[in-house]
Amino acid sequence: MTRITVKVDGTNYTDEVEPRTLLVHYLREQVGKTGTVVGCDTSNCGACTVHLDGVSVKSCNVLAVQVDGGEVTTIEGLAQNGELHPMQQAFHECHALQCGYCTPGMIMQSIDLLNNNPHPSEQEIRNGLEGNLCRCTGYHNIVKAVQQAAGGAK
Ligand code: FES
Ligand code: FES
Protein backbone atom coordinates (compact mmCIF):
# COMPACT_ATOMS: atom_id res chain seq x y z
CA MET A 1 0.00 0.00 0.00
CA THR A 2 1.08 3.56 -0.65
CA ARG A 3 0.10 6.63 1.35
CA ILE A 4 -1.23 9.58 -0.61
CA THR A 5 -2.45 13.03 0.38
CA VAL A 6 -4.92 14.67 -1.96
CA LYS A 7 -7.18 17.68 -1.73
CA VAL A 8 -10.63 16.71 -3.03
CA ASP A 9 -13.32 19.38 -3.36
CA GLY A 10 -11.46 21.59 -0.89
CA THR A 11 -10.82 18.95 1.80
CA ASN A 12 -7.49 17.22 2.43
CA TYR A 13 -7.48 13.42 2.55
CA THR A 14 -4.62 11.11 3.51
CA ASP A 15 -5.24 7.49 2.58
CA GLU A 16 -3.53 4.20 1.90
CA VAL A 17 -4.09 2.96 -1.65
CA GLU A 18 -2.88 0.06 -3.69
CA PRO A 19 -0.53 1.13 -6.48
CA ARG A 20 -3.03 -0.20 -9.06
CA THR A 21 -6.03 1.73 -7.66
CA LEU A 22 -7.61 3.98 -10.28
CA LEU A 23 -8.42 7.54 -9.29
CA VAL A 24 -12.12 6.99 -10.02
CA HIS A 25 -12.26 4.03 -7.66
CA TYR A 26 -10.35 5.93 -4.99
CA LEU A 27 -12.77 8.86 -5.28
CA ARG A 28 -15.89 6.69 -5.15
CA GLU A 29 -14.88 4.00 -2.69
CA GLN A 30 -12.47 5.70 -0.30
CA VAL A 31 -13.46 9.37 -0.44
CA GLY A 32 -17.16 8.69 -1.05
CA LYS A 33 -17.51 10.95 -4.10
CA THR A 34 -20.04 8.79 -5.88
CA GLY A 35 -21.13 11.68 -8.10
CA THR A 36 -18.19 10.70 -10.28
CA VAL A 37 -19.29 7.62 -12.20
CA VAL A 38 -17.81 4.81 -14.24
CA GLY A 39 -19.24 4.31 -17.69
CA CYS A 40 -16.67 2.12 -19.36
CA ASP A 41 -13.33 1.76 -17.51
CA THR A 42 -11.51 1.92 -20.83
CA SER A 43 -11.18 5.74 -21.14
CA ASN A 44 -13.81 5.91 -23.88
CA CYS A 45 -16.89 7.52 -22.37
CA GLY A 46 -15.76 10.46 -20.23
CA ALA A 47 -18.36 9.82 -17.51
CA CYS A 48 -15.57 9.78 -14.92
CA THR A 49 -14.13 13.19 -15.86
CA VAL A 50 -12.83 15.32 -12.97
CA HIS A 51 -10.39 18.21 -12.75
CA LEU A 52 -6.86 17.47 -11.58
CA ASP A 53 -4.99 20.65 -10.69
CA GLY A 54 -7.57 22.57 -12.71
CA VAL A 55 -7.44 20.48 -15.88
CA SER A 56 -9.96 17.82 -16.91
CA VAL A 57 -8.83 14.20 -16.80
CA LYS A 58 -10.62 10.91 -17.19
CA SER A 59 -10.24 9.53 -13.69
CA CYS A 60 -10.38 5.93 -14.88
CA ASN A 61 -7.20 6.70 -16.79
CA VAL A 62 -5.21 8.02 -13.82
CA LEU A 63 -3.79 6.09 -10.89
CA ALA A 64 -4.61 7.33 -7.41
CA VAL A 65 -0.88 7.38 -6.58
CA GLN A 66 -0.34 9.85 -9.43
CA VAL A 67 -2.44 12.49 -7.71
CA ASP A 68 -0.43 12.48 -4.48
CA GLY A 69 0.03 16.12 -3.51
CA GLY A 70 -2.52 17.24 -6.10
CA GLU A 71 -5.92 18.83 -6.04
CA VAL A 72 -9.01 17.18 -7.48
CA THR A 73 -12.37 18.80 -8.13
CA THR A 74 -15.37 16.59 -8.75
CA ILE A 75 -18.92 17.41 -9.76
CA GLU A 76 -19.69 17.51 -6.03
CA GLY A 77 -17.29 20.39 -5.48
CA LEU A 78 -18.80 22.80 -8.02
CA ALA A 79 -21.77 24.24 -6.15
CA GLN A 80 -20.82 26.94 -3.67
CA ASN A 81 -22.97 28.08 -0.75
CA GLY A 82 -25.97 26.25 -2.15
CA GLU A 83 -25.61 27.92 -5.56
CA LEU A 84 -25.13 25.75 -8.61
CA HIS A 85 -22.08 26.43 -10.76
CA PRO A 86 -23.12 28.41 -13.88
CA MET A 87 -22.48 25.32 -16.02
CA GLN A 88 -24.71 23.19 -13.79
CA GLN A 89 -27.38 25.89 -13.97
CA ALA A 90 -27.13 26.00 -17.76
CA PHE A 91 -27.48 22.21 -18.05
CA HIS A 92 -30.54 22.43 -15.81
CA GLU A 93 -32.16 25.29 -17.75
CA CYS A 94 -31.42 23.78 -21.17
CA HIS A 95 -32.64 20.30 -20.18
CA ALA A 96 -29.23 19.00 -21.16
CA LEU A 97 -29.69 15.59 -19.59
CA GLN A 98 -31.93 12.61 -19.89
CA CYS A 99 -30.82 9.68 -17.71
CA GLY A 100 -28.06 11.90 -16.29
CA TYR A 101 -25.34 9.29 -16.31
CA CYS A 102 -22.99 11.23 -18.56
CA THR A 103 -23.82 14.57 -16.93
CA PRO A 104 -21.09 14.83 -14.27
CA GLY A 105 -18.39 14.18 -16.85
CA MET A 106 -20.04 16.41 -19.45
CA ILE A 107 -20.18 19.32 -17.01
CA MET A 108 -16.58 18.89 -15.85
CA GLN A 109 -15.37 18.69 -19.45
CA SER A 110 -17.52 21.66 -20.50
CA ILE A 111 -16.02 23.83 -17.75
CA ASP A 112 -12.52 22.87 -18.89
CA LEU A 113 -13.54 23.68 -22.47
CA LEU A 114 -14.63 27.21 -21.52
CA ASN A 115 -11.54 27.70 -19.36
CA ASN A 116 -9.48 27.17 -22.51
CA ASN A 117 -11.85 28.89 -24.93
CA PRO A 118 -14.37 31.23 -23.25
CA HIS A 119 -16.32 31.88 -26.46
CA PRO A 120 -16.32 28.67 -28.50
CA SER A 121 -18.23 28.19 -31.72
CA GLU A 122 -20.75 25.36 -31.90
CA GLN A 123 -18.21 23.24 -33.75
CA GLU A 124 -15.54 23.97 -31.14
CA ILE A 125 -17.96 22.84 -28.42
CA ARG A 126 -18.71 19.63 -30.30
CA ASN A 127 -14.98 19.03 -30.80
CA GLY A 128 -14.24 19.80 -27.14
CA LEU A 129 -16.80 17.25 -25.97
CA GLU A 130 -15.87 14.51 -28.42
CA GLY A 131 -14.32 12.43 -25.63
CA ASN A 132 -17.60 12.38 -23.70
CA LEU A 133 -20.35 10.04 -24.81
CA CYS A 134 -24.04 10.50 -24.11
CA ARG A 135 -25.76 7.19 -24.62
CA CYS A 136 -29.13 8.99 -24.54
CA THR A 137 -27.76 11.03 -27.47
CA GLY A 138 -28.78 14.32 -25.89
CA TYR A 139 -25.99 16.23 -27.58
CA HIS A 140 -28.12 19.04 -29.00
CA ASN A 141 -29.18 20.40 -25.62
CA ILE A 142 -25.75 19.79 -24.12
CA VAL A 143 -24.24 22.05 -26.79
CA LYS A 144 -26.96 24.64 -26.10
CA ALA A 145 -26.14 24.54 -22.40
CA VAL A 146 -22.45 25.17 -23.03
CA GLN A 147 -23.36 28.04 -25.35
CA GLN A 148 -25.59 29.50 -22.64
CA ALA A 149 -22.88 29.15 -20.00
CA ALA A 150 -20.48 30.90 -22.37
CA GLY A 151 -22.84 33.83 -22.56
CA GLY A 152 -24.78 33.12 -25.72
CA ALA A 153 -24.60 31.28 -29.00
CA LYS A 154 -21.97 32.16 -31.56
FE1 FES B 1 -13.63 6.74 -17.57
FE2 FES B 1 -15.47 5.83 -19.26
S1 FES B 1 -15.30 5.48 -17.12
S2 FES B 1 -13.81 7.18 -19.66
FE1 FES C 1 -28.12 9.58 -20.48
FE2 FES C 1 -26.22 11.24 -21.37
S1 FES C 1 -28.14 11.76 -20.45
S2 FES C 1 -26.09 9.12 -21.11
Side-chain angles (χ1 to χ4, degrees):
M1 300 290 270
T2 303
R3 176 169 295 208
I4 60 170
T5 298
V6 191
K7 185 180 272 193
V8 182
D9 296 339
T11 300
N12 284 315
Y13 296 84
T14 298
D15 285 302
E16 305 280 332
V17 297
E18 290 188 48
R20 65 185 177 133
T21 301
L22 299 175
L23 176 58
V24 67
H25 292 142
Y26 170 69
L27 290 172
R28 287 177 56 81
E29 292 160 24
Q30 288 185 249
V31 183
K33 299 286 182 180
T34 52
T36 301
V37 296
V38 180
C40 68
D41 245 349
T42 53
S43 70
N44 273 312
C45 77
C48 64
T49 303
V50 299
H51 293 175
L52 173 57
D53 297 327
V55 176
S56 70
V57 295
K58 292 180 175 179
S59 61
C60 74
N61 206 27
V62 177
L63 295 168
V65 292
Q66 292 177 284
V67 304
D68 184 27
E71 183 165 355
V72 173
T73 304
T74 77
I75 188 72
E76 295 176 58
L78 293 184
Q80 297 292 326
N81 305 318
E83 295 279 322
L84 291 178
H85 184 283
M87 189 65 76
Q88 290 175 304
Q89 189 66 32
F91 269 62
H92 173 62
E93 290 175 7
C94 294
H95 307 291
L97 57 117
Q98 294 175 59
C99 79
Y101 203 82
C102 70
T103 310
M106 284 287 185
I107 288 176
M108 299 311 287
Q109 182 62 24
S110 297
I111 292 170
D112 185 69
L113 194 163
L114 293 194
N115 285 344
N116 289 314
N117 181 2
H119 302 291
S121 65
E122 178 181 341
Q123 193 56 50
E124 286 170 334
I125 293 171
R126 290 182 183 277
N127 290 347
L129 295 178
E130 68 183 357
N132 290 68
L133 304 181
C134 176
R135 291 179 171 90
C136 300
T137 67
Y139 295 106
H140 185 66
N141 284 3
I142 290 170
V143 171
K144 278 196 343 200
V146 179
Q147 287 173 321
Q148 177 171 311
K154 181 181 163 191

